Amino acid sequence: MNVKNKLISVLISVKSQFSSMSKDTTTARHILSDIEAAIVKSSDGSEHLPDDRYVNEILFLISNSPGSITFLARRLSERVETSRDFARVIKTLALLHRLLRGGDRFFEQDMRLLWASGDLRISLQLHIAPFVMNYSLFLQERIEWLINPAGKLEPVRPQGLEIQDCGEDYKAAELLLYNASKCQALLDRVMACLPDSRNLPQSQLTIFVLNIIVRESFRVYESFCEGFEMVITSFFDLKRPARFSALGILRKAIWQTPKLQEFYASCKRVITGKNMEFPSIRIITEEDISSMVQFAAAEEASYEEKRLMKKINGEKENQEGQASEEEWSSPFSEKLETKISTVWVVFTEGEDVLLTEGESSKNSKPMVLL
């Protein structure tokens, strides 16, 4: 009886586990199906503006099934790569952009990993409109950024600069310069997204996307201004390699800031009826960085002079070392020659007498040649 009860218990347990697995599988399939439906509805080929409710729905589904984020990335990639319809592609890219803005840091991190692994692909070799290409390039740069707890955009720190508090001065300077250069790179991508009315009509859809891009650029420019001031303040204390990087950032700001001012002026004409507070752009001039340029030039000249003197002194010491070796060369270094002597040695009774060849002695005894 006990055996029978045990068998029944085992069968019930197995059936329960099977039912649970079947239920989980069904739930997972429903989640993937719901994600697919939300993507399709949010990125159809119409000119209607995307609805944010699909973004929220996808983020909710992903939070309940974290493993489904890979499915999301692959579906977005497939939609971008296979479609040649302008509205469908631009809406798909905009969906990804809004997911990055609305997702938490874990969602952002997972999407970056999927981008690095190739599961998320938004690179376009050729498309019908330059605006789509430029928006794709913007997102490829944007995916390397995150929204920090303060709500500000900041670039993801590279390996080696991941520590929140960089105690070492050189690491702090390196992080400062890295952030400033990343801000300039993203601002370049932002400015390239201004639609050209000659090639692309300024539809509601393009203005909708441009509005998102421009609003994010305000945060990027704010971060750049903070970093730029710190670069100027710390410039004279930077080491030589960091100083070169800082000088590149300062020089780029001279031509980038006027372009950014023109870009925002154009956006004000394109994006109308929106409550947008455009930042006031500080135009960087040659005069603003002249002292840094002169200092860097003087430091570089001094560095080159020291390097040259070190080279000359090294060659001089090398020559003196060679001369010293010649003076203290071995006495046996000269060539030795063997000569045959014509002197005979004759032993007498009392003393040795040297006789040359041909000489003789009356009292001499037989000679012994040595």
Side-chain angles (χ1 to χ4, degrees):
M1 194 68 181
N2 291 335
V3 175
K4 183 178 179 181
N5 290 336
K6 287 182 179 180
L7 288 174
I8 293 174
S9 298
V10 170
L11 290 174
I12 293 174
S13 176
V14 170
K15 183 178 179 181
S16 176
Q17 291 179 4
F18 179 79
S19 299
S20 177
M21 291 174 60
S22 178
K23 184 179 180 181
D24 291 342
T25 303
T26 303
T27 303
R29 287 177 179 174
H30 280 307
I31 288 176
L32 298 182
S33 178
D34 291 342
I35 291 175
E36 177 81 35
I39 292 174
V40 172
K41 292 176 183 178
S42 181
S43 58
D44 59 15
S46 70
E47 282 292 327
H48 297 296
L49 299 183
D51 195 332
D52 282 340
R53 64 178 177 175
Y54 298 119
V55 175
N56 298 329
E57 181 180 348
I58 291 173
L59 291 175
F60 175 76
L61 293 169
I62 295 295
S63 66
N64 287 298
S65 178
S68 60
I69 193 171
T70 303
F71 174 83
L72 169 66
R74 291 174 179 174
R75 283 294 179 268
L76 292 174
S77 304
E78 181 182 348
R79 203 159 179 81
V80 169
E81 291 177 337
T82 58
S83 178
R84 289 296 177 266
D85 181 75
F86 169 79
R88 183 172 288 112
V89 175
I90 204 71
K91 282 185 174 181
T92 304
L93 294 175
L95 175 59
L96 171 61
H97 193 178
R98 289 178 296 155
L99 287 170
L100 291 173
R101 287 165 55 85
D104 57 21
R105 61 190 182 93
F106 298 107
F107 179 87
E108 290 179 315
Q109 182 180 359
D110 289 341
M111 292 302 282
R112 278 195 300 275
L113 293 174
L114 291 167
W115 164 255
S117 66
D119 290 292
L120 177 62
R121 301 177 304 279
I122 55 175
S123 301
L124 300 176
Q125 299 299 326
L126 180 65
H127 207 271
I128 55 178
F131 180 75
V132 180
M133 293 290 296
N134 289 326
Y135 189 31
S136 171
L137 292 172
F138 164 80
L139 288 177
Q140 291 175 47
E141 183 70 30
R142 169 63 176 81
I143 206 168
E144 299 292 339
W145 289 63
L146 56 83
I147 300 176
N148 62 22
K152 290 186 177 182
L153 270 176
E154 65 177 33
V156 178
R157 297 183 180 184
Q159 189 175 7
L161 294 178
E162 296 173 350
I163 302 175
Q164 294 295 327
D165 184 14
C166 295
E168 302 90 342
D169 291 339
Y170 77 93
K171 278 194 174 182
E174 190 176 348
L175 178 60
L176 169 65
L177 298 174
Y178 174 79
N179 288 343
S181 64
K182 291 291 286 184
C183 286
Q184 289 183 320
L186 189 56
L187 287 173
D188 282 341
R189 293 302 182 191
V190 168
M191 290 185 287
C193 288
L194 183 66
D196 187 352
S197 58
R198 295 170 300 178
N199 300 323
L200 178 68
Q202 293 176 359
S203 64
Q204 287 187 340
L205 190 54
T206 58
I207 295 175
F208 170 81
V209 171
L210 184 63
N211 180 45
I212 302 175
I213 297 172
V214 171
R215 286 183 183 275
E216 278 201 334
S217 74
F218 295 164
R219 300 180 183 180
V220 179
Y221 178 67
E222 181 183 353
S223 298
F224 170 73
C225 289
E226 295 174 357
F228 187 82
E229 291 298 328
M230 294 178 66
V231 170
I232 291 179
T233 303
S234 61
F235 183 85
F236 299 99
D237 298 324
L238 296 175
K239 297 186 181 297
R240 183 171 175 266
R243 192 164 57 244
F244 272 110
S245 299
L247 200 59
I249 292 171
L250 298 178
R251 284 174 171 161
K252 183 172 182 176
I254 294 175
W255 62 262
Q256 189 183 54
T257 50
K259 286 182 61 178
L260 188 60
Q261 187 180 55
E262 294 176 6
F263 171 77
Y264 283 150
S266 299
C267 289
K268 289 177 183 178
R269 294 190 295 268
V270 174
I271 306 174
T272 58
K274 303 289 184 180
N275 185 20
M276 299 180 67
E277 295 183 3
F278 286 83
S280 177
I281 304 300
R282 174 190 172 186
I283 304 299
I284 309 300
T285 64
E286 292 278 0
E287 185 178 355
D288 293 330
I289 67 169
S290 59
S291 60
M292 277 73 78
V293 172
Q294 293 173 3
F295 175 80
E299 287 291 306
E300 185 62 17
S302 175
Y303 172 81
E304 290 295 332
E305 182 180 356
K306 291 178 181 178
R307 191 173 68 86
L308 181 60
M309 290 301 299
K310 184 177 180 180
K311 181 179 178 181
I312 293 174
N313 292 335
E315 292 177 351
K316 184 177 180 181
E317 291 177 359
N318 196 20
Q319 291 175 356
E320 290 177 352
Q322 291 178 354
S324 177
E325 289 179 1
E326 292 177 358
E327 292 177 1
W328 290 94
S329 60
S330 172
F332 300 103
S333 61
E334 297 180 359
K335 185 177 180 181
L336 300 178
E337 294 183 0
T338 302
K339 295 183 178 180
I340 301 176
S341 174
T342 58
V343 178
W344 298 87
V345 179
V346 180
F347 291 95
T348 59
E349 291 182 356
E351 59 182 348
D352 296 340
V353 179
L354 295 179
L355 297 176
T356 61
E357 187 178 4
E359 291 183 341
S360 61
S361 175
K362 293 181 181 180
N363 299 322
S364 64
K365 293 185 179 180
M367 294 183 295
V368 178
L369 298 180
L370 293 180

